[in-house]
Structure formats: C-alpha cells, structure tokens
Amino acid sequence: MNEFLNKLTAIVGPAHVQTNGDLTKFEEDWRKRAKGKALAVVSPGTTEEVSLVIKACLQERVSIVPQGGNTSMVVGSIPNNTGTQVLLSLQRMNKVRAIDAANLTMSVESGCVLQQVQQCAEKEGYLFPLSLGSQGSCTIGGNLSTNAGGTQVVRYGNARELCLGLEVVTATGEIWHGLTGLRKDNTGYDLKNLYIGSEGTLGIITAATLKLYPLPAAKLTAWASVKTIQQAVELLGLAHKMLGPALSGFEMMGQFALSLVNKHFPQMNVPLWRENPYCILLEASDNESESHAREQFEGLMQKAIESEIISDAVIAESLSQAKALWLIRENITMAQATEGLNIKHDISLPVSKIAAFVDETDSKITQKIQGAQIVNFGHLGDGNLHYNVQAPQGVDSKTFLQKYEHDINTLVYDNVIKYAGSISAEHGVGSLKVDTLKDYKDPTALALMRSIKKALDPHNIMNPGRVINEL
Ligand code: FAD
Ligand code: 2HG
Ligand code: ZN
C-alpha cells in the first residue's frame, strides 16, 4: 500500500495526499449519521491529475469516493469504514475557466462553490439561478452529480437543466472532453445526462458549462398564510396563471417547521406562523421593470385574498426584507438539526395529489406513533416535499430513529407510490436509500441502471454501494 500512496503523492504532490491528522470533515457525514475511514484523502488540482489518480486506483482496484462540499443529504460522499477507499476531494479544482457572454454560458471547474459561481455570474451582469440552503459550501460538481434542485426550479429547472456540457474523467481514467456550450446537439446518446445525477458512481465530473440568464430587473417576495395544503395548491395555480413565467419561487412551510426556526433562531422574526397550519414563500422575477412586477404581484395577492385562498400576507418592501424571509426558509434544516435527528423524506408527487397525500400520511403516522411531530416543508411549486418526522416531545431522537425509522419509511414511501410519486426528488439515493430503492423503483429501470453501471465502471471502483448495489 505504501507504494500505492507514493504513486498518488507523485501525481498530486505531498501536500495533497492526507492520511493522518483530523480528517473528520472529509470522513463524517454533516448530519453525523455516519462516519467512515479513508485510506487517504487525495486532492488533485487538474483534470490530468484526476485521470492519473483514477488510473492508479484502477490498477490496484482501490475504490474512489468523490467529494465536493460534503453536504449530501443521503450519506453519499463519505468513505465506508474499511479504511481502503480513496476519498477524492475536488475542492482544489475551483477555477472559473471562461465566460461566453454572447452564448450566455460559463465554464467552471467542478470544485467551485455554488455561491462563488453565482457571485461571479452576477459580477458580469448575469444570473446563475441554482439556489440551495447549502450554497456557501456545496460545489458545482456535487450539484450536478446529485442533480440538485433548490428554490428556483419552478422557473429555471434542476441542475440538469442548467448544464450544457461536461468534462468527465471516466472510471477507466479517460478524459471525456464534453465541455460544449451547444443548445442543440443530436449526435447520439446523451452522455452528459448519464453523468448528471449519477452521484459519483460512473465517473468524476471535473468541469461543466453552465447556462446563464440575464439578471432580472426586479424581484418581489411575499409571505402568505394558508389554512390547508389545498389552498396552497390553489395559490400555486393562481400564481402560474397570473404571473406566467415570472413565477420563480414557491415554497411551503408547515407550522411545526416554522416553530423550530422560531425556537432556535428567535432573531429571525418568523411572520404569521402562529396563525395557520402553513405559510407560503412566493417570489416573482421580472425582466421588464420594478413597477410592472409590483403591479402583477400585488394583483395576484389581492385576488388570492378576495378569493379567500390566503388569510393574510406580507410583501417584502426592500431587498433586505426579502432576504430575511428567504433566510427563515433556508434555516429550517439547521433548526431541525439543532433540535436533534429526524427521519428525512425528500419526496415528489403530482401537485394535484399533494393535499390528499399529506392528509392521509399525517393521520397514519400520528395513529401509529402518538405525538410524532411532522416537519413538512419544501418546494411545493415543484411538487417536492421535505416530509420529515421527528420524535414526540421528550423522546430521545436517536432512540426514536432506531425504533421507528424503518417502519415510518415504509409507511411514507408506500403512500408516495400510491399517489404516483418518487422517493427521492432532489437529494439522490446515496447509501441511505440504496436498499429502499430496490423496493420502489421499476425493476426494468433498475436492470438498465445496472447495465449502465457495468458498462461505464466495469470494475465497480466508482463510489460502490451508492445508488445501486448488488451488481
Ligand atoms: P457532496 O455532498 O460532496 O457529494 C454529493 C454526491 O455527489 C456524492 O455522491 C459524491 O460522491 C458526488 N460527487 C461530488 N462531487 C463530484 C464530482 N465532481 N464528480 C462526481 N461525483 C461527485 N439539495 C437540493 O437538491 N436542494 C436543496 O434545496 C438543498 N438544500 C440543502 C440545504 C442544506 C442546509 C444542506 C446541508 C444540504 C442541502 N441540499 C440540498 C443537499 C446538498 O447540498 C446537495 O445534494 C448538493 O448538490 C451536494 O453538493 P456537494 O458539493 O456538497 O456534494
Ligand atoms: C431544503 O429544501 C433542503 O431546505 C433540505 O433540501 C431539506 O432538511 C431537509 O429535509
Ligand atoms: Zn429541498
């Protein structure tokens, strides 16, 4: 093994192969649901170095776990506990390679932090719309590998829709130069979209060409209170009708989720949360003008109040007020983490079925476990709920998970399938859902996925055990 480590050191330099010291930030899942042990943490600085590292690993049949910001929600980016895997950190590959203004594209290395990409685009007068609560730490490579969603999907799509080209180091160490900025290219199988969403199981994304948009002339944000999910869905329908493509965010937050933000971040002043079971955060982005946007937006809120869809609402009067509202939404995850462990379900459903799903699942869970607390929030505009379940008050969260996680997952996922949904909307599969997926995914689709994995990673060295196992 020493010879192998020496080889890696010769490729990336001694400062970039870590075997000793505190490697917790690479080896532990941020939610502290799992901790692994890497043979080494290797941090290449160029695509060529990635290629050589993969070739060296392949020769020794050492498996590789790619890692960006290690913000995975599904335990997908840490090594297992055998001490035999190379943790490949892409964080040093953080250069913006080019901006092509006329083509509305930007090419960046995969270790670029999402926020850095957003800021760089903005400095040039453009918008890169992908937005997640983790944007200060997650990387473009991680975003594409998980096909991340976030809060602007209703208008701009998931990470997949924002990417035109990729540079990839394959599982055999070849470099695929697919960094195109073309919006049309029908020359065969869509390789880019195989790698996007593959969670590091097929190859390493080293760079990407991303779509840019003009910065909107105005953004308007409102926070509304509704009595039922059905009303939230009606508000969404009205927003689509009255705002058209200007609708850029539609987030739903249950009362219990907001109570956690209120408890752990009291300085955030959560509005209207005590009034009704749900609040909605709504955003419109307009390319015309502030006055046009405001007129349209106020018209929508007026109509929603008149039709008694919403009970009450506030419209942000300044950029800082809008930011403060978004901060509340983005901090639900951290408020939950501060409260303790919880059972996360990142699910998607047809919007038309969400109300029935929530009514039925809420009552099944509370019948099964008296006092169980449901942290329900998410990207309602995309039909994506974070339907998380927390221990009854006073019950230790770890003990609760040990006792009920499996049963609650079965209950929730069975209902998701009953309502024609998916058990992973935006976070991916990782290790956390790999066994569950077998029970819920179409068997033919799973067989095709296995064939793709075998074809692209014949020696199963790329993030083995994630997404699909039992090859
Ligand atoms: P990592 O966690 O490091 O890795 C994720 C997966 O991608 C792993 O399987 C890893 O092996 C693989 N990978 C990483 N980089 C590469 C690469 N270059 N090549 C190949 N494979 C690679 N997710 C959403 O979709 N929407 C949200 O709204 C959202 N909000 C979040 C809020 C918070 C507070 C937190 C902590 C997380 C949130 N997430 C969200 C989850 C997470 O941030 C995303 O999944 C993100 O895309 C992961 O990026 P990362 O760089 O941290 O990847
Ligand atoms: C979000 O939308 C993230 O804030 C995290 O996807 C969801 O904490 C969660 O369950
Ligand atoms: Zn989310």
Side-chain angles (χ1 to χ4, degrees):
M1 237 352 114
N2 268 349
E3 207 178 303
F4 171 65
L5 291 175
N6 289 342
K7 206 166 175 180
L8 297 181
T9 306
I11 298 167
V12 297
H16 308 303
V17 176
Q18 291 167 266
T19 51
N20 301 314
D22 185 8
L23 299 176
T24 310
K25 73 172 181 149
F26 299 103
E27 293 178 332
E28 186 170 45
D29 160 52
W30 78 268
R31 288 170 64 204
K32 302 201 187 322
R33 292 211 49 162
K35 188 166 192 284
K37 176 86 198 93
L39 171 67
V41 174
V42 180
S43 308
T46 64
T47 304
E48 289 66 32
E49 286 181 8
V50 175
S51 161
L52 292 172
V53 169
I54 302 294
K55 284 181 179 163
C57 289
L58 181 62
Q59 204 172 25
E60 294 297 324
R61 299 292 188 266
V62 168
S63 62
I64 298 143
V65 180
Q67 188 181 90
N70 196 17
T71 66
S72 167
M73 284 283 183
V74 287
V75 191
S77 50
I78 56 160
N80 63 26
N81 55 19
T82 58
T84 60
Q85 296 187 298
V86 161
L87 188 291
L88 192 81
S89 169
L90 278 304
Q91 284 189 350
R92 282 183 64 228
M93 292 195 56
N94 60 1
K95 288 185 202 64
V96 173
R97 289 199 189 159
I99 294 184
D100 183 343
N103 198 43
L104 284 175
T105 53
M106 174 178 189
S107 296
V108 303
E109 291 184 346
S110 59
C112 284
V113 169
L114 173 56
Q115 202 164 50
Q116 174 198 352
V117 174
Q118 294 166 339
Q119 284 166 354
C120 179
E122 196 174 333
K123 224 171 94 196
E124 301 291 323
Y126 297 99
L127 171 76
F128 179 62
L130 189 69
S131 303
L132 321 179
S134 53
Q135 62 201 25
S137 334
C138 65
T139 62
I140 286 294
N143 299 150
L144 289 167
S145 301
T146 57
N147 186 26
T151 53
Q152 298 281 297
V153 175
V154 69
R155 172 146 175 191
Y156 298 100
N158 296 295
R160 187 187 296 287
E161 278 85 38
L162 299 171
C163 177
L164 292 172
L166 285 183
E167 179 186 88
V168 169
V169 175
T170 71
T172 49
E174 309 308 318
I175 301 173
W176 170 42
H177 299 280
L179 211 54
T180 159
L182 299 176
R183 283 172 169 81
K184 288 191 163 184
D185 180 8
N186 280 348
T187 52
Y189 303 137
D190 193 341
L191 300 176
K192 175 192 78 182
N193 276 324
L194 266 185
Y195 286 103
I196 295 178
S198 68
E199 300 180 45
T201 62
L202 300 179
I204 310 289
I205 296 177
T206 48
T209 299
L210 306 171
K211 282 188 197 170
L212 296 177
Y213 292 82
L215 277 172
K219 259 193 191 179
L220 287 165
T221 308
W223 184 282
S225 153
V226 295
K227 293 191 178 77
T228 62
I229 295 241
Q230 189 50 40
Q231 285 183 328
V233 169
E234 282 168 33
L235 180 62
L236 175 64
L238 196 63
H240 275 308
K241 203 165 147 191
M242 293 184 69
L243 301 178
L247 177 66
S248 52
F250 196 98
E251 299 288 311
M252 183 276 289
M253 297 148 291
Q255 195 169 41
F256 183 61
L258 291 175
S259 79
L260 293 177
V261 179
N262 184 63
K263 177 175 170 188
H264 295 292
F265 305 106
Q267 74 283 8
M268 285 192 184
N269 293 323
V270 184
L272 306 179
W273 74 271
R274 284 189 177 84
E275 286 188 13
N276 279 312
Y278 298 98
C279 284
I280 305 296
L281 182 56
L282 206 95
E283 186 193 79
S285 304
D286 194 279
N287 286 349
E288 238 173 80
S289 67
E290 169 82 29
S291 60
H292 177 262
R294 189 163 279 279
E295 199 182 308
Q296 237 192 351
F297 202 62
E298 287 177 353
L300 165 69
M301 300 315 282
Q302 186 68 33
K303 176 101 181 152
I305 292 203
E306 277 165 19
S307 350
E308 295 182 5
I309 296 175
I310 60 179
S311 315
D312 205 350
V314 286
I315 298 183
E317 290 302 328
S318 64
L319 207 62
S320 67
Q321 269 180 19
K323 271 193 180 153
L325 294 176
W326 275 106
L327 213 58
I328 296 168
R329 161 62 185 88
E330 281 158 8
N331 274 286
I332 297 176
T333 298
M334 286 311 164
Q336 284 178 104
T338 316
E339 186 73 8
L341 294 173
N342 61 79
I343 308 171
K344 284 192 187 293
H345 304 105
D346 161 43
I347 55 177
S348 65
L349 295 148
V351 169
S352 51
K353 297 191 169 140
I354 286 182
F357 168 86
V358 171
D359 283 350
E360 189 178 313
T361 318
D362 277 3
S363 80
K364 279 187 174 167
I365 288 180
T366 41
Q367 264 167 32
K368 191 175 172 63
I369 308 157
Q370 242 195 351
Q373 309 185 84
I374 296 161
V375 190
N376 186 5
F377 67 105
H379 320 286
L380 194 76
D382 322 322
N384 177 188
L385 296 182
H386 297 304
Y387 188 87
N388 303 336
V389 182
Q390 196 181 294
Q393 213 168 6
V395 174
D396 172 60
S397 66
K398 208 167 177 179
T399 319
F400 177 73
L401 258 67
Q402 270 159 4
K403 193 160 171 200
Y404 290 115
E405 183 163 24
H406 180 265
D407 288 359
I408 289 180
N409 283 346
T410 306
L411 189 160
V412 173
Y413 293 146
D414 283 357
N415 248 17
V416 166
I417 299 305
K418 177 176 163 189
Y419 285 95
S422 165
I423 68 159
S424 176
E426 58 172 6
H427 295 162
V429 177
S431 329
L432 216 53
K433 292 188 183 174
V434 70
D435 290 324
T436 318
L437 193 68
K438 288 202 286 276
D439 299 332
Y440 295 99
K441 184 118 181 150
D442 178 272
T444 306
L446 275 176
L448 289 169
M449 280 166 61
R450 281 192 197 101
S451 308
I452 291 167
K453 171 76 173 168
K454 281 184 198 156
L456 268 60
D457 179 19
H459 298 288
N460 193 22
I461 60 161
M462 293 303 312
N463 218 357
R466 265 83 198 232
V467 186
I468 36 172
N469 50 18
E470 294 176 10
L471 294 173

